[in-house]
Amino acid sequence: MELMIGLVSVVAGLVQGITGFGSGIVLMMLLPIMYALPQAAGISIAICVFLNASMVLTYRKHVNFKKIIPPALLYVVICFFAMRFSTSVDQHLMKKIFGLFLLLLSVYYLFIAKNTKTEKFSLGISILFIFISALCDVFFGIGGPLMVLYFMSQTKEKQEYLGTITAFFLINGIYNTILRLINGILSMEYMLVILYGIVGIVLGGYLGKRVVNRIDSELLKKIVYVTIGLCGILNLIS
C-alpha cells in the first residue's frame, strides 16, 4: 500500500512539475479507494505540504503576504468549523458528492478555465470563492481551482502569483494537517504512508522539471482532466 502511494505521488509530482498544478487532484484519484474520505484528504494535503514548501522557497522573493492574510484568515475559520463535521456525515453520500465534484472539476478544466477572464473579483465573489474552496479542502482535499482564479485576479505577474498562491496553500496545508491531528482524523499510523508520499512527490517534481521541455504539457493536462472525469463517474456509480 505504501509503495503504491509512493508511486502515485511520483506521478502527482511529475504532473505538478510539468503543468504547474494538479498534485493534490492526482493523489485524490487514488487515496479515497484506500481510505475513508476524511483520512484520504488529510494524507493528500500532508504530502503536498512538502512540495508547496519547496515551491515557496523557490519563489520566496515574490510572495505578497498582504494578499495572503485576509483570505487565509477566513479560510482558517471556515476550516475550523467544517472539520468538526467532516467525519460525522454519511461517507457513502460524501463519496457520491466527491464523484460529482471530480466530474465538475474535469468539465471546468476542459471547457471553462481556459476561457475565464481574470479581472479582479468583487468582495462578495471573493468571499464565496474562499468559502467554497475551504469546504472542498476540508471534505475532499482539493481546494485549489477557485483559489487559482482568486489569486490570478489579485496578482499582476506570474512570479508573484506562483509565490503568493503557493505560500497560501502551504500555510493552510500546515494548519489543516495540525487540525486533523488534533481532531483524530490523522494519527501516527498514517505517518509512514505520508513519508512514502513525500519522497515520491519530491522525486516526481524533480523529474518533471527535467522533462518539462520534452513533453507536450497541454496534452498531458487534457489526459489528467479526462482521467479526473472518469474517476468522478466511477465514484458516482460505485
Side-chain angles (χ1 to χ4, degrees), residues 19 73 138 180:
T19 66
L73 289 175
V138 169
R180 284 182 169 91

Side-chain angles (χ1 to χ4, degrees), residues 1-175:
M1 183 182 297
E2 289 84 1
L3 182 58
M4 183 180 296
I5 291 173
L7 292 174
V8 172
S9 297
V10 172
V11 176
L14 184 65
V15 169
Q16 181 87 18
I18 294 172
T19 66
F21 89 106
S23 57
I25 297 174
V26 172
L27 286 169
M28 286 302 290
M29 286 193 281
L30 170 74
L31 288 172
I33 298 173
M34 309 171 74
Y35 300 96
L37 203 51
Q39 283 72 34
I43 292 169
S44 173
I45 288 177
I47 291 172
C48 290
V49 160
F50 200 90
L51 184 62
N52 285 330
S54 66
M55 290 185 67
V56 168
L57 186 63
T58 301
Y59 294 102
R60 61 189 181 278
K61 294 181 180 179
H62 304 282
V63 177
N64 189 330
F65 285 102
K66 290 182 179 179
K67 294 180 179 178
I68 292 175
I69 294 174
L73 289 175
L74 181 57
Y75 214 87
V76 162
V77 173
I78 296 168
C79 288
F80 177 80
F81 289 103
M83 196 74 70
R84 294 171 175 262
F85 299 99
S86 64
T87 57
S88 60
V89 296
D90 186 318
Q91 291 302 304
H92 180 70
L93 174 62
M94 286 306 300
K95 187 177 180 182
K96 301 296 184 184
I97 295 175
F98 179 61
L100 179 61
F101 174 72
L102 287 181
L103 188 57
L104 292 174
L105 198 64
S106 173
V107 172
Y108 164 77
Y109 275 123
L110 281 170
F111 304 109
I112 300 174
K114 61 184 179 181
N115 298 318
T116 303
K117 296 181 180 180
T118 56
E119 297 176 359
K120 193 170 184 177
F121 299 132
S122 66
L123 178 61
I125 294 296
S126 297
I127 292 174
L128 179 64
F129 275 26
I130 295 166
F131 181 81
I132 295 173
S133 293
L135 292 182
C136 290
D137 217 339
V138 169
F139 289 103
F140 309 135
I142 305 172
L146 292 181
M147 294 312 297
V148 166
L149 293 179
Y150 172 81
F151 278 108
M152 285 181 69
S153 75
Q154 297 292 320
T155 53
K156 297 179 180 179
E157 298 179 351
K158 182 178 180 180
Q159 289 83 357
E160 182 190 7
Y161 159 73
L162 288 172
T164 304
I165 192 171
T166 305
F168 173 84
F169 285 133
L170 176 61
I171 292 168
N172 288 291
I174 293 172
Y175 172 77

